[in-house]
Amino acid sequence: MIHTEWMPVPVVKSYKILFCFWGVIGLSGAFNSTQVWSVVLDPSAALDVRVVVDISGSMRKSDPANLRRPAIRVLSDMLPDGTHAGVWTFGKYVNMLVPLAKVDQSWRLNAQSQIPKINSIALYTNLVDAIDKASYGWHKAAGETERSMVLLTDGHVDVSKDAKKNEAARADILQRVLPKLKAAQVKIHSIAMSEGVDEPLLQTLSFSTDGTYRKVNNADDLLRVFVEVFDSTVRPQQVPLTDNAFLIDDNVQEFTVLAYRADESAATILLAPNGDRFSAASYPKQVRWFVHENLDLLTVQKPEPGRWSLQADLDPSSRVTVVSNLNLKVDSFPNNIFHGEKLKISIFLEEKGEVITDPKFLGLLDISFVQEYLKTDQQWSGKLTSYTDGKVRTPKNGLYGAKLSRTLLPGEHRFSVLVEGKTFSRKFQHKLSVLENVVEVTISPSESMQSQQEYVVEVKPVKSLIDTRVELVVEVVGPKQSTQIMDVELQQQQKKWQALFTPFEGPGLYTFTIAVSGQSLSGKTIDFQQGPIELQVDALEPELEQGAFANEEEITEKASLAESLDEYQDESTEQEMEEEGYDDEESSEDEAEEVAQEEDESVEFDETAESTQTGEGYQSLAVIGGFILLNTTLLALGFFFYKKMNRKINAENKTEDKKIDKLLSDIDEEGGIGTDGLGDAEVQDAEPADIADAISEDLAQLDLSKE
């Protein structure tokens, strides 16, 4: 939501800008607006621009086309007269390529003559010396001037083959050089040009000084990224360029067109209001024109007021810088803020350094505000011009204000302020990064977690934003919405906070919110909340108590007993059969077959005997036959009794096995024995002696007559 109000604004500051190119890593497609704008620069702004360019050998791979050269050329033409600027190159040694001086035509010509010396032949990346020498004279606060440094590199701090010396040089940048630059109110804008760059170092340098950090994944995007960084330092104003045309009023002293042509587009033609045609091949003395592949950079001094136009297939990121006495100013617009912060900005028009307060002039203006969320292309807009009873309300002090809060979502935003008058238009455009996280949070199970759940919560500061000197509070909300404040311990040596967390409301979803208060590395007072961070706590598998373990042993014992039950029964039966006078020790089925065989053989044997004996022997034979019959009958009854007993015991075993299988299955499903898995049910297993008694009872209860 955008809210407008009148608010006082401090005196407009002049600007000193330091550009140090240490390598570029990319931001492609940074300019994707649907309109092309001109840029108006305040000639009274004192810009201090110092460009430091990495020329180490690795840049041959990171910047194979050496686009650092046209980038410096673009910079030299876009910087307004009166700017303090210088260019340094560095590898093992540092060289002042273009001496620090006020920008004028002589400075530009000298810079352009030195640009061919930018190469990729150096052996090391001595960043610490490069920053030290490029920041010469910055020993105290800048006062009303704003200083900026742009670093361009593709690697790490590399001053020696000795790793310890490299580490010491890197530490020197963070512990000595960075504090000095912060005290001198320098904003460091870093551009990284490879995946192997020391990204944490560059981010720390940029975010600690409210500078910008850009990463170039494709060297072809270097020019666009460089212009974007230029915007963050100079903060140029813009006027709409719609359908390749823009309006120049009589306050404009100079404009510079930066035109990106589409691939295979024809050469750019500039048409003046009087119909004159200019091109890179033909232009008058008041025009400067530079061409690099599909880029045109042209400057027109003392332009004729009126409608200018371009004949070319232009990319939407094309732009024009213009020097004018009439400027749109936007104050208190940082490069970075933390998510959750509120932002107030002041907007006013200035003529020859004075704020315009004339209500008649302001009453003719239409002032609008647009915010673009680049992550989703979402837009919010609002009008700063307000009306009462159909009449325009104008601020007495000429200052318009805007408040931003809920629309400041994490990520990058582009803000545009557009002023439309009867005879002129101005636009201010600025890119803002909303930083989402200031700490890194990890939650992991404790190594000592056994009988109860316990987690280690570790919080580390994002080194480029804060350090451990801030205050930290961790709040936890449980599944039932009760809250607890964790006891967080600072471990200074490891530069982190740590705490042990035990779920206090059982299983469910716990959310952690990290509150950080104090000062950021950039010196900004912060009161920041990060989160919620979620932790899903599952039910802990119940630990088996001692009694439960005893039951488990009994179950195992029972299963083992059930498996050996047949063997036990066979041994018992064999003992009984031995008591009855049977000597055979084979299995029961084999034994029955052998018994049957013996019966047949006995009968056969007796019949043979009967056929060979005299009549006197028939009586004896009958006695023998009766004895054999009786024994055979007893044997059959014993075998039948044994089979009956065996079937019943096997049935009981199968029933017990099913119970055991079901119980073991329940244990697997529930993770153990306890009230969660089995309720109040108990499993009681018989000891072997009890089972033997049960067998004896079954033998006693058999009713053979029913068989």
Side-chain angles (χ1 to χ4, degrees):
M1 176 178 181
I2 297 177
H3 171 73
T4 61
E5 65 175 7
W6 316 129
M7 62 176 67
V9 67
V11 178
V12 182
K13 295 182 179 180
S14 59
Y15 298 90
K16 286 187 178 180
I17 301 179
L18 167 63
F19 286 84
C20 299
F21 291 163
W22 187 28
V24 180
I25 296 187
L27 180 65
S28 61
F31 303 98
N32 54 4
S33 59
T34 56
Q35 290 181 312
V36 181
W37 306 96
S38 309
V39 177
V40 181
L41 295 178
D42 182 4
S44 65
L47 307 175
D48 196 341
V49 182
R50 308 185 185 187
V51 184
V52 180
V53 184
D54 186 347
I55 60 170
S56 62
S58 59
M59 291 297 292
R60 286 194 297 268
K61 181 178 179 180
S62 303
D63 183 20
N66 205 348
L67 295 178
R68 289 161 291 171
R69 292 177 178 176
I72 301 304
R73 173 61 189 265
V74 168
L75 174 66
S76 67
D77 275 350
M78 293 181 68
L79 287 174
D81 288 347
T83 300
H84 291 274
V87 181
W88 287 257
T89 58
F90 72 98
K92 181 177 182 179
Y93 305 103
V94 181
N95 176 50
M96 182 182 288
L97 187 68
V98 181
L100 180 64
K102 286 188 177 182
V103 173
D104 54 18
Q105 187 60 18
S106 176
W107 185 93
R108 292 189 182 95
L109 292 174
N110 182 43
Q112 292 166 15
S113 68
Q114 299 299 314
I115 286 175
K117 296 180 181 179
I118 297 175
N119 50 42
S120 306
I121 61 173
L123 296 178
Y124 291 99
T125 308
N126 192 351
L127 179 63
V128 60
D129 281 356
I131 297 177
D132 265 340
K133 293 185 178 180
S135 59
Y136 173 80
W138 287 350
H139 302 303
K140 58 182 180 180
E144 293 185 357
T145 61
E146 183 177 333
R147 298 165 173 166
S148 300
M149 177 179 286
V150 179
L151 309 175
L152 189 153
T153 189
D154 70 340
H156 294 69
V157 177
D158 181 20
V159 298
S160 169
K161 293 181 179 180
D162 188 341
K164 292 183 178 180
K165 291 183 179 180
N166 293 331
E167 292 174 3
R170 186 182 190 277
D172 188 37
I173 293 175
L174 295 174
Q175 298 170 12
R176 179 185 63 83
V177 177
L178 178 58
K180 181 186 73 172
L181 295 179
K182 288 172 62 177
Q185 298 177 323
V186 177
K187 293 184 178 181
I188 303 174
H189 304 273
S190 55
I191 303 174
M193 288 197 67
S194 77
E195 292 296 331
V197 76
D198 190 346
E199 194 168 31
L201 176 61
L202 295 185
Q203 289 179 337
T204 300
L205 293 174
S206 294
F207 296 147
S208 297
T209 60
D210 193 36
T212 59
Y213 171 77
R214 296 291 181 260
K215 188 174 182 179
V216 178
N217 295 313
N218 187 339
D220 293 339
D221 297 323
L222 175 58
L223 285 175
R224 296 173 185 265
V225 173
F226 184 67
V227 171
E228 183 178 341
V229 172
F230 176 84
D231 286 349
S232 298
T233 57
V234 180
R235 304 201 175 183
Q237 301 171 68
Q238 304 177 20
V239 295
L241 175 57
T242 306
D243 296 330
N244 286 14
F246 58 96
L247 180 65
I248 295 297
D249 58 83
D250 54 9
N251 290 289
V252 174
Q253 301 168 1
E254 175 183 294
F255 69 80
T256 301
V257 177
L258 180 64
Y260 297 101
R261 285 179 279 107
D263 293 339
E264 300 180 358
S265 171
T268 301
I269 301 296
L270 176 65
L271 299 177
N274 61 7
D276 289 344
R277 298 169 61 91
F278 307 131
S279 69
S282 176
Y283 53 86
K285 292 181 179 180
Q286 69 267 30
V287 177
R288 301 193 304 267
W289 202 305
F290 168 69
V291 178
H292 174 76
E293 296 181 350
N294 63 341
L295 179 143
D296 288 275
L297 181 67
L298 58 102
T299 299
V300 178
Q301 296 177 335
K302 298 180 180 180
E304 178 185 355
R307 184 179 183 274
W308 291 73
S309 63
L310 297 165
Q311 289 184 354
D313 185 5
L314 296 181
D315 185 275
S317 57
S318 299
R319 55 190 302 113
V320 179
T321 61
V322 182
V323 176
S324 172
N325 289 325
L326 179 62
N327 299 300
L328 171 62
K329 296 290 185 178
V330 180
D331 192 56
S332 303
F333 221 138
N335 290 310
N336 310 282
I337 64 171
F338 294 105
H339 184 219
E341 282 191 75
K342 296 180 180 180
L343 185 62
K344 294 181 180 181
I345 59 174
S346 298
I347 302 164
F348 56 95
L349 282 165
E350 182 185 77
E351 185 175 24
K352 297 180 180 180
E354 297 292 332
V355 177
I356 298 176
T357 59
D358 183 358
K360 293 182 179 180
F361 178 84
L362 298 178
L364 299 175
L365 304 180
D366 184 18
I367 305 176
S368 60
F369 191 95
V370 178
Q371 176 185 351
E372 300 172 78
Y373 186 32
L374 302 182
K375 187 175 182 179
T376 63
D377 293 330
Q378 189 174 1
Q379 289 190 2
W380 299 273
S381 61
K383 289 283 187 180
L384 277 73
T385 304
S386 59
Y387 296 84
T388 301
D389 298 329
K391 296 182 179 180
V392 178
R393 293 178 56 204
T394 58
K396 293 182 180 180
N397 59 0
L399 308 180
Y400 298 83
K403 288 183 178 180
L404 304 170
S405 58
R406 287 178 294 175
T407 58
L408 296 176
L409 304 175
E412 293 188 328
H413 300 252
R414 182 167 49 237
F415 296 88
S416 301
V417 180
L418 178 64
V419 176
E420 295 283 359
K422 296 298 182 181
T423 59
F424 77 99
S425 63
R426 295 287 186 273
K427 182 177 180 178
F428 171 88
Q429 195 169 65
H430 180 68
K431 201 169 185 179
L432 172 73
S433 293
V434 179
L435 307 174
E436 181 176 12
N437 297 325
V438 297
V439 292
E440 298 173 351
V441 182
T442 57
I443 304 175
S444 57
S446 171
E447 294 181 357
S448 61
M449 187 171 72
Q450 294 179 354
S451 61
Q452 64 177 358
Q453 287 171 307
E454 187 176 64
Y455 297 85
V456 177
V457 180
E458 188 174 271
V459 182
K460 293 182 179 180
V462 175
K463 295 180 181 179
S464 59
L465 302 177
I466 63 171
D467 56 25
T468 54
R469 288 176 292 182
V470 300
E471 295 293 330
L472 190 80
V473 177
V474 181
E475 181 185 73
V476 189
V477 179
K480 299 177 182 178
Q481 301 306 306
S482 64
T483 61
Q484 284 190 5
I485 302 299
M486 296 187 64
D487 185 14
V488 182
E489 178 184 357
L490 173 61
Q491 299 181 351
Q492 188 64 51
Q493 188 173 1
Q494 289 79 21
K495 297 182 179 180
K496 66 179 181 180
W497 297 270
Q498 187 170 295
L500 291 178
F501 169 68
T502 302
F504 52 86
E505 288 189 339
L509 182 65
Y510 290 80
T511 57
F512 297 73
T513 301
I514 316 296
V516 181
S517 59
Q519 274 197 338
S520 67
L521 293 181
S522 63
K524 181 187 298 184
T525 300
I526 60 173
D527 188 6
F528 182 82
Q529 286 192 348
Q530 181 173 322
I533 300 163
E534 297 182 346
L535 171 66
Q536 179 64 46
V537 176
D538 298 325
L540 182 66
E541 294 183 0
E543 182 177 346
L544 296 176
E545 299 178 357
Q546 186 173 359
F549 279 112
N551 286 338
E552 185 178 29
E553 292 173 357
E554 291 173 4
I555 292 170
T556 304
E557 184 176 358
K558 180 176 180 63
S560 176
L561 181 62
E563 293 174 356
S564 60
L565 187 58
D566 288 340
E567 180 181 353
Y568 174 82
Q569 293 168 350
D570 290 344
E571 293 175 354
S572 300
T573 304
E574 289 170 1
Q575 291 175 0
E576 293 177 4
M577 294 174 70
E578 288 175 357
E579 292 174 357
E580 293 293 332
Y582 295 100
D583 297 328
D584 192 61
E585 296 180 354
E586 299 293 330
S587 64
S588 59
E589 293 182 1
D590 293 340
E591 187 175 3
E593 292 175 0
E594 291 173 8
V595 170
Q597 257 186 344
E598 290 174 3
E599 290 176 357
D600 293 340
E601 291 173 355
S602 298
V603 171
E604 182 178 353
F605 171 79
D606 289 343
E607 287 176 352
T608 305
E610 182 180 359
S611 65
T612 58
Q613 288 182 354
T614 61
E616 297 177 351
Y618 283 103
Q619 183 177 359
S620 177
L621 183 61
V623 173
I624 295 173
F627 178 77
I628 293 174
L629 179 61
L630 176 62
N631 286 328
T632 301
T633 301
L634 290 175
L635 181 60
L637 289 174
F639 177 74
F640 171 78
F641 175 80
Y642 167 76
K643 296 294 288 185
K644 174 74 174 181
M645 177 192 66
N646 196 38
R647 283 197 302 269
K648 183 172 182 179
I649 292 176
N650 285 339
E652 289 179 351
N653 288 341
K654 290 181 179 178
T655 302
E656 291 298 324
D657 288 343
K658 290 181 179 179
K659 291 181 180 179
I660 293 170
D661 291 341
K662 184 177 185 304
L663 179 58
L664 294 175
S665 176
D666 291 341
I667 293 173
D668 288 339
E669 292 177 358
E670 297 297 329
I673 297 176
T675 56
D676 290 342
L678 298 176
D680 297 327
E682 294 182 358
V683 178
Q684 295 182 353
D685 297 315
E687 296 291 341
D690 297 333
I691 295 176
D693 292 341
I695 294 173
S696 299
E697 292 176 4
D698 287 340
L699 290 174
Q701 294 173 5
L702 279 176
D703 187 356
L704 299 179
S705 63
K706 294 182 180 180
E707 298 295 323

